[in-house]
Amino acid sequence: MEDSHHETPPIKELEKLLYGGKRSGNHLDEVWPNLFLGDMCVANDRFILWKLGITHVLNAAHGKMHCQGSREFYGLAVEYYGVPADDSPAFNLSVYFQPCADYIQEVLNCLEARILVHCAVGVSRSASLVLAYLMIHQHFSLLDAVKTIKQHRWIFPNRGFLKQLRALDAMLCRVRCSSKNCSHEESGGVK
């Protein structure tokens, strides 16, 4: 995203990249410092979360079958944030990109805080929210965010989510490119 020539890969190219590599995963992987991506098995095991030092849980399948975490379930030991997303290409997950990215960043700014972002399997809804976080707060392109997570975990957001992430990538690129041009013009073109 360093220049105005940034181009988001087409869906088929992203899917090819996502499908590659190892295709089986753990219940939980640390994909960014103190940021874990996982499934409902680990999210439903309070003892494992305690052992890992998880202080916050973002459930991208809030209220869905087998993913019924809540403030009551975790008690005072873990802060809970629920997103009632469907793993459907028609579901508009993009409305949650900014609030979830901000929540993750807020958690990671706290000393000794660790966050688990999960859904049922930990490869589509929750992965999409973590990709959005890396794009919004770490300034990664979608491609770089995918490559970063894939170093640690197999993910496969559905096609609808990939389209929404591509739109986010394009929008963030436009914003960064226009602000770069503004700062370049304000400084008289001298860097």
Side-chain angles (χ1 to χ4, degrees):
M1 294 188 110
E2 288 77 31
D3 60 48
S4 59
H5 302 294
H6 169 78
E7 210 172 295
T8 305
I11 296 284
K12 285 188 187 275
E13 203 174 303
L14 286 169
E15 287 177 334
K16 187 176 178 183
L17 173 67
L18 287 163
Y19 197 70
K22 72 173 189 168
R23 280 187 231 133
S24 60
N26 301 315
H27 291 292
L28 175 86
D29 295 288
E30 188 172 15
V31 297
W32 189 254
N34 297 318
L35 172 55
F36 295 80
L37 187 51
D39 63 19
M40 65 184 172
C41 293
V42 74
N44 291 335
D45 190 330
R46 290 178 288 210
F47 181 70
I48 288 177
L49 297 180
W50 173 77
K51 278 180 62 176
L52 290 167
I54 300 295
T55 58
H56 296 74
V57 169
L58 192 165
N59 177 359
H62 176 75
K64 308 302 175 195
M65 190 174 10
H66 309 299
C67 286
Q68 298 184 14
S70 63
R71 284 178 180 80
E72 294 77 29
F73 176 76
Y74 292 109
L76 299 175
V78 173
E79 288 289 321
Y80 179 82
Y81 187 98
V83 173
D86 289 325
D87 189 14
S88 160
F91 185 83
N92 184 8
L93 190 64
S94 68
V95 298
Y96 295 104
F97 288 167
Q98 189 71 51
C100 289
D102 293 346
Y103 180 74
I104 292 168
Q105 186 62 44
E106 184 181 309
V107 170
L108 295 178
N109 284 340
C110 297
L111 193 62
E112 297 184 23
R114 302 180 108 195
I115 185 168
L116 165 65
V117 181
H118 80 91
C119 53
V121 183
V123 299
S124 185
R125 289 170 281 195
S126 56
S128 297
L129 293 177
V130 172
L131 288 167
Y133 162 74
L134 291 175
M135 294 163 65
I136 293 168
H137 283 285
Q138 301 303 324
H139 311 293
F140 282 46
S141 67
L142 174 56
L143 189 59
D144 289 340
V146 166
K147 288 177 180 177
T148 297
I149 292 178
K150 281 202 46 92
Q151 290 174 7
H152 307 282
R153 182 177 184 82
W154 186 77
I155 59 170
F156 205 87
N158 73 47
R159 246 178 196 223
F161 296 167
L162 286 177
K163 287 178 183 175
Q164 294 167 46
L165 288 164
R166 287 184 81 247
L168 175 65
D169 195 35
M171 186 270 299
L172 290 172
C173 183
R174 281 193 305 274
V175 167
R176 289 183 186 121
C177 290
S178 67
S179 68
K180 189 160 63 166
N181 289 340
C182 289
S183 65
H184 184 68
E185 290 168 9
E186 287 170 6
S187 65
V190 179
K191 284 195 172 185

